[in-house]
């Protein structure tokens, strides 16, 4: 069993980007600029956005954090996005999800200019991804690809079982793993809340991507020996032994499954850190794409 170390790989991605940014600085070129928008004060979203902004600073990107009150009207958010779209210094725009109930996430996603859509959630970005055209891949699936690539995991012909069909992770990773490229060329099964015989399907998985947001959902008897296990879960669970009052739990019963897997991501220290690394990659690309 080998741990897929998101800390190590994300640090490598960040170091590479830092060097590239430094080269750009020396040449007097524009530095990548990410604008992050956070509406309200959801604890988990606050943490994620803070990490994204901090990571930008670490590698020399410019970042702007726009904080809006939870009761901000939808039109005000859309106006803000319009401003960021027309700001020539801003390369990438990210609106942290979920949004308060009164705001349509779909409208917000569609308001972001596809050329600045570093989250890869705009229907144009998704459509391009499906058709295998150059675009921004959503950060979590892209981070998973970067991990598979770093550890040179041979994916062609494998059966990948994806649990979860969200637009953020499940659906896009299922598309990316089935594409005719590396990492990819998998036979993909997407499972969801209506799936029958989930256990039997999981037992066929050479790769299992658990992305349903239920702590410890994937049990040892659902996994075959030698499977590659990717845990996308990052649920906060009450934990009185922690100063914060919670610990982060993945969707996989790590202790029981790790010994029988070939590769496995830990939580924390796995996919979560790769999501940030992938977002930074997209932002760098958005900055340099204009120069081609
Ligand atoms: N909420 C959970 N994951 C993500 C993500 O990758 N991007 C944004 N914008 N919101 C999220």
């Amino acid at each position: 069993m080998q741990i897929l170390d998101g800390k190590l790989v994300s640090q490598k991605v960040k170091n590479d980007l830092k060097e590239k940014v430094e080269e750009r600085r020396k040449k007097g070129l524009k530095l990548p600029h990410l604008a992050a928008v956070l509406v309200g004060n959801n604890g988990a979203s606050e943490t994620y956005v803070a990490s994204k902004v901090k990571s930008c600073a670490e590698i020399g990107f410019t970042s702007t954090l726009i904080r809006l009150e939870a009761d901000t009207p939808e039109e005000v958010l859309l106006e803000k996005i319009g401003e960021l779209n027309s700001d020539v210094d801003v390369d990438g725009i990210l609106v942290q999800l979920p949004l308060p109930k009164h705001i349509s996430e779909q409208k917000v996603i569609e308001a972001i200019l596809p050329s600045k859509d570093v989250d890869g959630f705009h229907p144009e970005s998704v459509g391009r991804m499906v058709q295998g055209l150059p675009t921004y891949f959503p950060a979590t699936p892209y981070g998973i690809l970067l991990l598979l690539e770093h550890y040179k995991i041979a994916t062609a012909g494998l059966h990948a079982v994806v649990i979860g069909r969200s637009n953020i992770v499940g659906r896009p990773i299922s598309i990316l793993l089935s594409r005719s490229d590396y990492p990819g060329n998998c036979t993909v099964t997407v499972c969801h809340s209506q799936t029958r015989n989930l256990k039997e399907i999981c037992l066929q998985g050479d790769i299992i991507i658990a992305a349903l947001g239920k702590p410890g959902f994937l049990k040892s008897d659902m996994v075959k020996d030698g499977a590659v296990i990717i845990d996308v879960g990052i649920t906060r669970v009450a934990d009185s032994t922690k100063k914060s009052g919670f610990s982060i739990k993945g969707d996989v019963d790590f202790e029981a499954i790790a010994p029988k897997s070939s590769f496995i991501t830990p939580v924390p220290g796995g996919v979560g850190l790769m999501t940030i690394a992938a977002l930074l990659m997209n932002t760098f690309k958005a900055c340099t794409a204009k120069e081609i």
Side-chain angles (χ1 to χ4, degrees):
M1 182 271 294
Q2 183 168 6
I3 296 281
L4 297 174
D5 187 345
K7 196 168 174 188
L8 180 116
V9 183
S10 66
Q11 196 54 55
K12 182 180 175 294
V13 169
K14 288 203 274 187
N15 290 345
D16 290 351
L17 286 171
K18 191 174 178 179
E19 271 178 32
K20 287 183 179 158
V21 171
E22 193 45 38
E23 277 168 28
R24 291 182 68 79
R25 190 194 301 281
K26 282 187 194 145
K27 288 182 188 158
L29 294 169
K30 182 190 178 310
L31 303 182
H33 182 171
L34 175 71
V37 183
L38 176 61
V39 187
N41 29 38
N42 173 299
S45 293
E46 297 240 8
T47 309
Y48 302 147
V49 171
S51 308
K52 289 170 185 178
V53 168
K54 184 167 159 255
S55 297
C56 282
E58 277 168 23
I59 63 171
F61 283 15
T62 309
S63 68
T64 303
L65 171 60
I66 294 142
R67 296 203 59 145
L68 300 172
E69 296 294 330
D71 61 356
T72 299
E74 186 181 271
E75 314 84 83
V76 173
L77 174 56
L78 293 174
E79 227 170 82
K80 192 73 222 171
I81 293 169
E83 282 170 29
L84 296 171
N85 280 341
S86 20
D87 184 337
V88 289
D89 197 68
V90 170
D91 301 300
I93 303 169
L94 167 154
V95 179
Q96 188 66 25
L97 304 179
L99 288 169
K101 295 267 177 296
H102 67 282
I103 299 177
S104 157
E105 289 189 354
Q106 193 59 28
K107 262 196 207 166
V108 168
I109 287 167
E110 291 187 25
I112 296 169
L113 211 57
S115 59
K116 298 191 180 192
D117 177 32
V118 286
D119 254 331
F121 294 161
H122 191 287
E124 184 174 316
S125 310
V126 179
R128 292 180 67 86
M129 177 184 68
V130 171
Q131 296 194 349
L133 299 169
T135 186
Y136 302 107
F137 297 158
T140 301
Y142 186 20
I144 294 170
L145 296 187
L146 292 171
L147 259 187
L148 294 170
E149 201 173 7
H150 177 87
Y151 287 92
K152 299 185 170 58
I153 295 174
T155 56
L158 298 189
H159 184 187
V161 174
V162 178
I163 315 174
R165 55 180 161 184
S166 72
N167 287 339
I168 295 182
V169 187
R171 201 175 302 283
I173 193 65
S174 71
I175 289 160
L176 290 166
L177 286 178
S178 71
R179 75 200 166 131
S180 171
D181 203 342
Y182 177 77
N185 280 310
C186 292
T187 303
V188 180
T189 302
V190 182
C191 300
H192 45 75
S193 53
Q194 302 290 308
T195 297
R196 293 178 193 170
N197 309 324
L198 179 69
K199 183 176 166 184
E200 285 68 26
I201 296 169
C202 286
L203 279 166
Q204 294 171 23
D206 302 306
I207 302 178
I208 301 182
I209 315 270
L212 69 163
K214 290 196 175 163
F217 178 87
L218 191 74
K219 301 278 187 268
S220 173
D221 66 352
M222 299 165 79
V223 175
K224 75 171 169 187
D225 285 346
V228 176
I229 307 293
I230 309 288
D231 190 349
V232 183
I234 34 168
T235 308
R236 289 180 169 201
V237 176
D239 183 348
S240 56
T241 68
K242 293 273 155 65
K243 213 164 84 185
S244 60
F246 63 84
S247 53
I248 302 291
K249 287 267 177 283
D251 291 348
V252 171
D253 181 355
F254 183 89
E255 298 303 325
I257 293 178
K260 68 193 297 194
S261 66
S262 55
F263 296 91
I264 187 166
T265 61
V267 176
V271 173
L273 295 171
M274 292 309 299
T275 296
I276 297 178
L279 171 75
L280 299 170
M281 293 271 288
N282 279 346
T283 306
F284 187 83
K285 190 167 136 188
C287 173
T288 57
K290 299 169 197 158
E291 292 156 14
I292 307 164

